[in-house]
Amino acid sequence: MSEPALTKRGRPGYDQRAILEVAVAAFNEFGYDATSMGVLATRLGLSKSAIYHHFSSKEELLEQALDEALDGLEGVLLEQSAQVGPVIDRLAAVLRGAVEVLTSRLPYVTLLLRVRGNTDVERAALARRRAFDRSVSALVVEARDEGSLRGDIDPRIVTRLLFGMVNSIVEWYRPEGPEDAGQLASDVLAVALDGLRVSTRSTGLDRLDHR
Amino acid sequence: MSEPALTKRGRPGYDQRAILEVAVAAFNEFGYDATSMGVLATRLGLSKSAIYHHFSSKEELLEQALDEALDGLEGVLLEQSAQVGPVIDRLAAVLRGAVEVLTSRLPYVTLLLRVRGNTDVERAALARRRAFDRSVSALVVEARDEGSLRGDIDPRIVTRLLFGMVNSIVEWYRPEGPEDAGQLASDVLAVALDGLRVSTRSTGLDRLDHR
């Protein structure tokens, strides 16, 4: 969180970013509908008008929070690693990038994953999320056509299972916990692309610890 | 849903199971806390006392609903296919069984996955869910020791990623949809155990469509 800055009146204050962080934490804890601007003001130790100085409405807070998650995910698709090279490697780069966005912008992605489409802002966010999913599905189809990804599973199911695995990370990942985000991304790729099974052909070494 | 039976007074009524189904649907739609016995009575077209004839409290409805999900999952661990044979096959049987319970008891598992531990009933359900996860984690460790499952990923992460993928199915699976539950279980096993990548060694055939 940003360091509280001194306001014009000399009291410790919050910049726009810090207000957004506190709001997102409250939305995740109590639910968006149950969090009023009054509750936010109390949490921040600010007057409501001080919040309105930065955000025109609660919905603008939500919109900026969802943008933070969606801009991150969409940015992954625009990286060179997602645009150039064998499609299976591009798909891997997108999965790794999605895990990185999820872990580095955890509260924002958590909020995004709970959106159900009750307002225009939520529906716009869902539309962007669906467009992201379609881009990933298109990569899955391309990787099949390239011959690098198995062809016996419906690409929509593949995409859903992959993002089911990736998105579930918000349920338990904590930045201060023992799991390194980069290692976690590698683990997701290892499971998703290569699977957990050790094929019998590759276990040529006898396990000496079982003497 | 069970056929409404005729009550003693000759009006169409609900048996215990049918009341439970309607309650679980309401809990999933509106949230457990937001669903009063009065709301349930209105939905069922019954008096509250008619519900209390079958269930002593709203919490008993929740408890029986969570039992339905947990009994199913715990039953999977007790199947012979989860008890006998190579550990990797037992793990596969547990994953397949979990997908089958999830798809056949969808509203009950959906409710279970939303439990956050606010009451004794919820905490007891969470404890059973954690015990189930520990049993699966133990299988993952055993499969590593057996040499059939890759050893380079923390078994707790493996279990979380596997159940992240499996549990995410509640978000989109609909019994009336095009996806066959058995095929879906096979797809989950294919991704989790063998991965999506077609290894270059196994693509000996030139792709003639790329001339």
Side-chain angles (χ1 to χ4, degrees):
Chain A
M1 191 183 294
S2 314
E3 197 72 14
L6 288 183
T7 62
K8 278 181 284 186
R9 293 177 196 158
R11 290 180 293 121
Y14 290 89
D15 63 14
Q16 187 160 335
R17 178 76 189 181
I19 292 174
L20 187 61
E21 285 188 12
V22 171
V24 169
F27 294 162
N28 283 330
E29 188 174 346
F30 307 114
Y32 174 72
D33 291 332
T35 307
S36 67
M37 287 297 252
V39 166
L40 286 182
T42 304
R43 282 213 146 189
L44 288 157
L46 294 176
S47 66
K48 282 204 272 184
S49 67
I51 303 180
Y52 283 119
H53 177 70
H54 293 289
F55 297 93
S56 64
S57 62
K58 192 172 83 160
E59 198 154 51
E60 196 191 340
L61 279 161
L62 178 65
E63 187 169 24
Q64 288 203 18
L66 297 175
D67 279 349
E68 182 74 16
L70 288 161
D71 290 351
L73 290 171
E74 290 165 358
V76 167
L77 295 173
L78 302 174
E79 294 277 337
Q80 180 155 359
S81 55
Q83 295 273 350
V84 178
V87 186
I88 189 84
D89 296 344
R90 291 163 53 198
L91 179 62
V94 169
L95 287 174
R96 175 178 291 281
V99 174
E100 283 166 1
V101 168
L102 187 150
T103 50
S104 65
R105 306 187 188 194
L106 188 64
Y108 301 95
V109 178
T110 302
L111 189 66
L112 175 65
L113 293 177
R114 293 182 184 169
V115 159
R116 288 290 171 267
N118 299 325
T119 63
D120 284 347
V121 165
E122 295 195 8
R123 280 186 286 275
L126 281 184
R128 283 174 70 186
R129 213 185 132 190
R130 277 194 296 268
F132 176 81
D133 288 348
R134 275 197 302 275
S135 297
V136 177
S137 266
L139 274 183
V140 168
V141 172
E142 267 192 83
R144 286 168 59 138
D145 291 347
E146 178 185 76
S148 57
L149 192 136
R150 59 191 302 156
D152 58 343
I153 310 178
D154 182 332
R156 289 166 311 162
I157 303 282
V158 167
T159 307
R160 284 169 172 163
L161 292 177
L162 288 177
F163 277 90
M165 182 159 61
V166 168
N167 293 339
S168 72
I169 293 172
V170 303
E171 302 287 337
W172 57 269
Y173 178 80
R174 296 296 167 264
E176 67 279 11
E179 285 85 12
D180 173 76
Q183 180 60 50
L184 186 56
S186 299
D187 293 346
V188 167
L189 289 183
V191 175
L193 297 186
D194 298 314
L196 289 166
R197 195 197 307 271
V198 175
S199 78
T200 39
R201 280 180 305 176
S202 64
T203 53
L205 293 167
D206 284 320
R207 294 178 61 78
L208 296 172
D209 52 345
H210 277 178
R211 279 174 297 193
Chain B
M1 190 181 293
S2 315
E3 198 69 16
L6 288 184
T7 63
K8 278 181 286 187
R9 292 179 195 157
R11 289 181 293 122
Y14 289 89
D15 63 14
Q16 188 159 335
R17 178 76 190 181
I19 292 173
L20 187 61
E21 285 188 12
V22 170
V24 169
F27 294 162
N28 282 331
E29 187 172 347
F30 307 114
Y32 174 71
D33 291 333
T35 307
S36 68
M37 287 297 252
V39 165
L40 285 182
T42 304
R43 280 213 147 189
L44 288 157
L46 294 176
S47 65
K48 282 205 270 184
S49 66
I51 303 180
Y52 283 120
H53 177 71
H54 292 289
F55 296 92
S56 64
S57 63
K58 192 172 83 160
E59 198 154 49
E60 198 193 338
L61 279 162
L62 179 65
E63 188 169 22
Q64 288 204 19
L66 297 174
D67 279 349
E68 183 76 16
L70 289 160
D71 291 350
L73 291 171
E74 291 165 357
V76 167
L77 296 173
L78 302 173
E79 294 275 338
Q80 180 155 358
S81 55
Q83 296 272 351
V84 178
V87 186
I88 189 85
D89 296 342
R90 291 162 53 198
L91 179 63
V94 169
L95 287 175
R96 174 179 291 281
V99 174
E100 282 165 2
V101 168
L102 187 150
T103 49
S104 65
R105 305 187 189 193
L106 189 64
Y108 300 95
V109 178
T110 301
L111 188 66
L112 175 66
L113 294 176
R114 293 183 185 172
V115 159
R116 289 291 169 264
N118 299 325
T119 64
D120 284 346
V121 165
E122 294 194 8
R123 280 185 286 275
L126 282 183
R128 285 174 70 186
R129 213 185 131 188
R130 278 194 295 269
F132 176 80
D133 288 349
R134 276 197 302 276
S135 297
V136 177
S137 266
L139 274 183
V140 168
V141 172
E142 267 192 83
R144 286 167 61 136
D145 292 347
E146 179 186 76
S148 56
L149 191 135
R150 60 190 302 155
D152 57 344
I153 310 178
D154 182 332
R156 289 166 311 164
I157 303 281
V158 167
T159 307
R160 284 169 172 164
L161 293 178
L162 287 177
F163 276 91
M165 182 159 61
V166 168
N167 292 339
S168 73
I169 293 172
V170 303
E171 303 288 338
W172 56 268
Y173 178 80
R174 295 297 168 260
E176 67 278 12
E179 285 85 11
D180 174 77
Q183 181 59 48
L184 185 55
S186 299
D187 292 347
V188 167
L189 290 182
V191 175
L193 298 184
D194 299 314
L196 289 166
R197 195 196 307 271
V198 174
S199 78
T200 38
R201 280 181 304 175
S202 66
T203 52
L205 293 168
D206 284 320
R207 294 179 60 79
L208 297 173
D209 50 345
H210 279 177
R211 279 173 295 192

Coordinates of all heavy atoms in Angstrom, one line a residue, chain A residues 75-98 100 139:
Chain A
G75 N -3.1 -7.5 -20.8 CA -1.7 -7.2 -21.1 C -0.8 -8.5 -21.4 O 0.1 -8.4 -22.2
V76 N -1.2 -9.6 -20.7 CA -0.5 -10.8 -20.9 C -0.6 -11.3 -22.4 O 0.4 -11.7 -23.0 CB -1.1 -11.9 -20.0 CG1 -0.6 -13.3 -20.4 CG2 -0.7 -11.6 -18.5
L77 N -1.8 -11.1 -23.0 CA -2.0 -11.5 -24.4 C -1.2 -10.7 -25.3 O -0.9 -11.1 -26.5 CB -3.5 -11.4 -24.7 CG -4.5 -12.3 -24.0 CD1 -5.9 -11.9 -24.4 CD2 -4.2 -13.7 -24.3
L78 N -0.8 -9.4 -24.9 CA -0.1 -8.5 -25.8 C 1.5 -8.7 -25.7 O 2.2 -8.1 -26.5 CB -0.5 -7.1 -25.5 CG -1.9 -6.8 -25.7 CD1 -2.3 -5.4 -25.2 CD2 -2.4 -7.0 -27.1
E79 N 1.9 -9.4 -24.7 CA 3.4 -9.7 -24.5 C 3.9 -10.4 -25.8 O 3.2 -11.2 -26.3 CB 3.6 -10.5 -23.3 CG 3.3 -9.9 -22.0 CD 4.4 -9.0 -21.4 OE1 5.6 -9.2 -21.9 OE2 4.1 -8.1 -20.6
Q80 N 5.2 -10.1 -26.1 CA 5.8 -10.8 -27.2 C 5.7 -12.3 -27.1 O 5.5 -13.0 -28.0 CB 7.2 -10.3 -27.4 CG 7.9 -11.0 -28.6 CD 9.0 -10.1 -29.1 OE1 9.3 -9.0 -28.6 NE2 9.7 -10.6 -30.2
S81 N 5.9 -12.8 -25.8 CA 6.0 -14.2 -25.6 C 4.6 -14.9 -25.9 O 4.6 -16.1 -26.1 CB 6.3 -14.5 -24.1 OG 5.4 -13.8 -23.3
A82 N 3.5 -14.1 -25.9 CA 2.2 -14.6 -26.2 C 1.9 -14.4 -27.7 O 0.8 -14.9 -28.2 CB 1.1 -13.9 -25.4
Q83 N 2.8 -13.7 -28.4 CA 2.4 -13.3 -29.8 C 3.3 -14.1 -30.8 O 2.9 -14.2 -32.0 CB 2.6 -11.8 -30.0 CG 1.7 -10.9 -29.2 CD 0.4 -10.6 -29.9 OE1 0.3 -11.0 -31.0 NE2 -0.5 -10.1 -29.2
V84 N 4.5 -14.5 -30.4 CA 5.5 -15.0 -31.4 C 6.0 -16.4 -30.9 O 6.2 -16.6 -29.7 CB 6.7 -14.0 -31.4 CG1 7.8 -14.5 -32.4 CG2 6.3 -12.6 -31.9
G85 N 6.1 -17.3 -31.9 CA 6.7 -18.6 -31.6 C 5.7 -19.7 -31.7 O 4.5 -19.4 -32.1
P86 N 6.1 -20.9 -31.4 CA 5.2 -22.0 -31.4 C 4.0 -21.8 -30.5 O 4.1 -21.2 -29.5 CB 6.0 -23.2 -30.9 CG 7.5 -22.8 -31.1 CD 7.5 -21.3 -30.9
V87 N 2.8 -22.2 -31.0 CA 1.6 -21.8 -30.3 C 1.6 -22.4 -28.9 O 1.1 -21.8 -27.9 CB 0.3 -22.2 -31.1 CG1 -0.9 -21.7 -30.4 CG2 0.4 -21.7 -32.5
I88 N 2.1 -23.6 -28.7 CA 2.1 -24.2 -27.4 C 2.9 -23.4 -26.4 O 2.6 -23.2 -25.2 CB 2.7 -25.7 -27.4 CG1 2.5 -26.4 -26.1 CG2 4.1 -25.7 -27.9 CD1 1.1 -27.0 -25.9
D89 N 4.0 -22.8 -26.9 CA 4.8 -21.9 -26.0 C 4.1 -20.6 -25.7 O 4.2 -20.0 -24.6 CB 6.2 -21.6 -26.7 CG 7.0 -22.8 -26.9 OD1 6.7 -23.8 -26.2 OD2 8.0 -22.8 -27.7
R90 N 3.3 -20.1 -26.7 CA 2.5 -18.9 -26.5 C 1.5 -19.2 -25.4 O 1.2 -18.3 -24.6 CB 2.0 -18.4 -27.8 CG 3.0 -17.9 -28.8 CD 2.5 -17.8 -30.2 NE 1.3 -17.0 -30.3 CZ 0.5 -17.1 -31.4 NH1 0.8 -17.9 -32.4 NH2 -0.6 -16.4 -31.4
L91 N 0.8 -20.3 -25.6 CA -0.2 -20.7 -24.6 C 0.4 -20.8 -23.2 O -0.1 -20.3 -22.2 CB -0.8 -22.0 -25.0 CG -1.9 -22.6 -24.0 CD1 -3.1 -21.6 -24.0 CD2 -2.4 -24.0 -24.5
A92 N 1.6 -21.4 -23.1 CA 2.3 -21.5 -21.8 C 2.6 -20.1 -21.3 O 2.4 -19.9 -20.1 CB 3.6 -22.3 -22.0
A93 N 3.0 -19.2 -22.1 CA 3.3 -17.8 -21.7 C 2.1 -17.1 -21.1 O 2.1 -16.4 -20.1 CB 3.9 -17.0 -22.8
V94 N 1.0 -17.4 -21.8 CA -0.3 -16.8 -21.3 C -0.7 -17.4 -19.9 O -1.1 -16.6 -19.0 CB -1.4 -17.0 -22.3 CG1 -2.8 -16.6 -21.7 CG2 -1.2 -16.2 -23.6
L95 N -0.5 -18.7 -19.8 CA -0.9 -19.3 -18.5 C 0.1 -18.7 -17.4 O -0.4 -18.4 -16.3 CB -0.8 -20.8 -18.5 CG -1.9 -21.5 -19.3 CD1 -1.5 -23.0 -19.4 CD2 -3.2 -21.3 -18.6
R96 N 1.3 -18.7 -17.7 CA 2.3 -18.2 -16.7 C 2.0 -16.7 -16.4 O 1.9 -16.3 -15.2 CB 3.7 -18.3 -17.2 CG 4.8 -17.6 -16.3 CD 6.2 -17.8 -16.9 NE 6.7 -19.2 -16.8 CZ 7.1 -19.8 -15.7 NH1 7.1 -19.1 -14.6 NH2 7.5 -21.0 -15.7
G97 N 1.7 -15.9 -17.4 CA 1.4 -14.5 -17.2 C 0.1 -14.3 -16.4 O 0.0 -13.5 -15.5
A98 N -0.9 -15.2 -16.6 CA -2.1 -15.1 -15.8 C -1.9 -15.4 -14.4 O -2.4 -14.7 -13.5 CB -3.2 -16.1 -16.4
E100 N 0.9 -14.9 -12.8 CA 1.6 -13.8 -12.3 C 0.7 -12.6 -12.0 O 0.8 -11.9 -11.0 CB 2.8 -13.4 -13.2 CG 3.9 -14.4 -13.0 CD 5.0 -14.3 -14.1 OE1 4.8 -13.5 -15.1 OE2 5.9 -15.1 -14.1
L139 N -6.2 -19.8 -28.9 CA -4.8 -20.3 -28.8 C -4.8 -21.9 -28.6 O -4.0 -22.6 -29.2 CB -4.0 -19.7 -27.6 CG -3.3 -18.4 -27.8 CD1 -2.6 -18.1 -26.5 CD2 -2.3 -18.5 -29.0

